[in-house]
Amino acid sequence: MHLRKLAAIAVLALGGTMLAASPAHAANIAVNPGFENGLTGWTCTASSGATAVSSPVHGGTRALQATPAGNDTARCQQTVSVRPSSAYTLSAWVRGGYVFLGATGTGGTDPSTWTSSPSSYAQLSTSFTTGASTTSVTIYVNGWYGQGTYQADDFVLDGQPGQGQPPAAPTGLTGTGNVTTASLSWNASSGATGYNVYRNGTKVGSATGTTFSETPGAGTHSYQVSATNASGESAKSGAVSVTVGNDQPPPPSVPSGLAATVSGTSVSLRWNASSGATGYNVYRNGTKVGSATGTTFSETPGAGTHSYQVSATNASGESAKSGAISATVTNMPPPGDLPKRVLVGYLHASFANGSGYIRMADVPNEWNVINLSFGEPTSVTSGDIRFTQCPVAECPNVESEAEFIAGIRAKQALGKKVLISIGGQNGQVQLSTTAARDKFVQSVSAIIDKYGLDGLDIDFEGHSLYLDSGDTNLSAPTTPVIVNLISALKTLKARYGARFVLTMAPETFFVQLGYQFYGPGPNGSADRRAASYLPVIHAMRNDLTLLHVQDYNSGPITGLDNQYHTMGTHDFHVAMTDMLLAGFPIAGNPANVFPALRQDQVAIGLPAAAYAGNGFTTVAEVQKAFDCLAKGTNCGPYRPRGVYPNLRGLMTWSINWDRYNAFEFSRNHRAYLDGLG
């Protein structure tokens, strides 16, 4: 999160210099990575006999098969546009006696790796950084002399697309049919200027937007869509079937305008009438809980935050569900005994950088929550978390341990909460085993007890969290690192009780990116880390004090308006925060919704100064964003789904950078938050 080394270099070099952005990658930039379109995009040696086969495959329906012959290693390759001075990870699943994976033309050390796995698929992975003038690289796979036929499947080249890269394949294709017409819709592909529509494998039309209709004749038809731009055409999307020619009237349209009002323990819903509807079904948290003939419905669902959707029905069937809205029952006080508006800051307690060391006793009173940065593991998978104060050689003015603890007590006496933050940029934590989970609980408890802390902040980054293939149920995850982290957090919460403060500081890549991508995706080609915080947040939502997503060090993220939003502006913070407070369908699937959080659980995460992280937002822009969210005023182009008067506050990296910047963040925003009441 916190770019401690880079931030120090930036200050030493130029003070206010902005760091290079580190956008989130979730789209595979290799073309036809699973050979679903034959050898399209690939070039193979003449005598290799290369072809796309239907068995054996690793994922999807096809895989590459080639056979070395004579002096030919049966190499297949493709050239991909990349960006100079950028990091890339290359992986593929291979099967055969000896199979090699690598890249050439990187402008640096060209990587290569190999394996021998003749009876089953094994994954190869390597990485490289492009040279300062490199704009394309060639990725390849090949066998070895005399070693027989090999197979390869599901390539992933993870990194920033280069200039001139064709767009990614569209996702979220859906279709409906009635007596005469087939209607399609899909999610927009980044960089696309148009789309081609295929029926039963043959191109039948094109579109500039994300919808298409035609009258193909009676029958059941298979549709796919590809995205195009000046550089070429993407692979085709997954296929959907649409039946045309049914003599029944079409199902009604999806209800719109769903809204909820909470009164005591009752939730009242209302929505707009759907054309052709004779009734409506009401869903709570994905389960049908009632029906209505009109456009209103009321129930008493019990305490908690509930996600509602409505569908329309008639004799022909049921429409898709409406967009989800959330309703929170009970006026439960904010957990953690904190004020209504909070400032959260990270304190460099275990290291130094160009911002300078601050003693605990000298932390300004503007801060309500002080996160000690960082507790880090002895190894990535050990679960053994350690925290030590900054060494004297690095921080000459560091206080003694006794003074440090006394400073914590003094802050707590003023109503401040002091937490241990686990992870950060360098602290990769993977609780891949139950032994690591138990060690995590034991070692974190030891830190909390030693210093008398109020709770825990989870700041897992990098490769700490990810989702295994097939792990798509938000409420019942199966990936060990997710399951074990949830179990550890529930154990710690139970051990310390109701006043235990639990906060999380994920990057947008791990949360809001879930509107588009969730784990490796249906064909395994997306980054499996995408949105991997969501099942943890969801599992802990009743115990979570604050979620303050890092609205910085982020690439462009798609908001609920289906437009990309770029960090550093009030619109970015409004769009990202609105997703947490309104809820959103995961990977565009209306049947799999991340429900809204309570308003008092959400704060906006920001860098304290331009040299503290990419995405710095001025005081005025931050307060415009907060006005829009909390008061419904000062909004820009993005209009949030609701007004959130109980939005909790602001988080920043970091208290040290704020002092370095003459306390601009804390003093201005403390006064602003106090003025809101």
Side-chain angles (χ1 to χ4, degrees), residues 283-301:
Y283 295 83
R284 174 176 15 98
N285 303 324
T287 301
K288 182 180 174 181
V289 293
S291 59
T293 56
T295 57
T296 61
F297 178 82
S298 296
E299 67 158 0
T300 54

Side-chain angles (χ1 to χ4, degrees), residues 258 269 271 280-284 287-292 296-299 308-311 318:
L258 179 61
L269 304 175
W271 56 90
Y280 301 87
N281 291 331
V282 179
Y283 295 83
R284 174 176 15 98
T287 301
K288 182 180 174 181
V289 293
S291 59
T296 61
F297 178 82
S298 296
E299 67 158 0
Y308 286 96
Q309 294 171 282
V310 178
S311 67
E318 184 179 18

Side-chain angles (χ1 to χ4, degrees), residues 327-418:
T328 300
V329 178
T330 87
N331 295 317
M332 182 169 48
D337 220 11
L338 284 164
K340 181 177 180 180
R341 310 289 186 188
V342 298
L343 276 185
V344 181
Y346 287 78
L347 181 70
H348 308 180
S350 64
F351 64 94
N353 61 14
S355 62
Y357 182 81
I358 300 176
R359 292 174 170 235
M360 174 57 68
D362 297 331
V363 173
N365 285 333
E366 281 83 359
W367 304 100
N368 303 105
V369 180
I370 303 163
N371 290 332
L372 304 180
S373 310
F374 289 103
E376 297 181 352
T378 56
S379 69
V380 172
T381 58
S382 70
D384 189 4
I385 307 300
R386 305 294 176 89
F387 170 76
T388 56
Q389 288 179 254
C390 186
V392 174
E394 192 174 351
C395 302
N397 62 323
V398 66
E399 67 268 65
S400 68
E401 184 177 90
E403 291 171 322
F404 184 67
I405 293 174
I408 293 173
R409 297 293 174 273
K411 296 303 174 188
Q412 291 170 327
L414 295 173
K416 316 299 182 185
K417 304 299 178 183
V418 184

Side-chain angles (χ1 to χ4, degrees), residues 138-156:
T138 298
I139 60 175
Y140 67 85
V141 63
N142 59 257
W144 197 245
Y145 308 108
Q147 296 303 313
T149 298
Y150 73 88
Q151 291 84 31
D153 203 359
D154 294 336
F155 279 69
V156 175

Side-chain angles (χ1 to χ4, degrees), residues 45-113:
T45 54
S47 60
S48 65
T51 187
V53 297
S54 59
S55 178
V57 301
H58 173 260
T61 61
R62 307 181 82 180
L64 169 69
Q65 180 169 289
T67 306
N71 292 325
D72 180 6
T73 61
R75 174 171 290 194
C76 290
Q77 63 187 36
Q78 70 169 262
T79 299
V80 184
S81 295
V82 294
R83 295 192 184 186
S85 303
S86 298
Y88 292 84
T89 299
L90 172 66
S91 65
W93 290 85
V94 300
R95 179 178 181 271
Y98 288 90
V99 189
F100 293 76
L101 174 73
T104 62
T106 64
T109 301
D110 289 341
S112 177
T113 185

Side-chain angles (χ1 to χ4, degrees), residues 570-614:
H570 67 284
D571 247 29
F572 185 74
H573 302 300
V574 173
M576 294 303 99
T577 307
D578 189 38
M579 296 178 80
L580 305 176
L581 295 173
F584 57 87
I586 297 172
N589 180 3
N592 190 23
V593 173
F594 175 76
L597 293 168
R598 296 194 318 269
Q599 296 174 34
D600 64 84
Q601 289 180 296
V602 177
I604 303 172
L606 304 149
Y611 25 81
N614 294 300

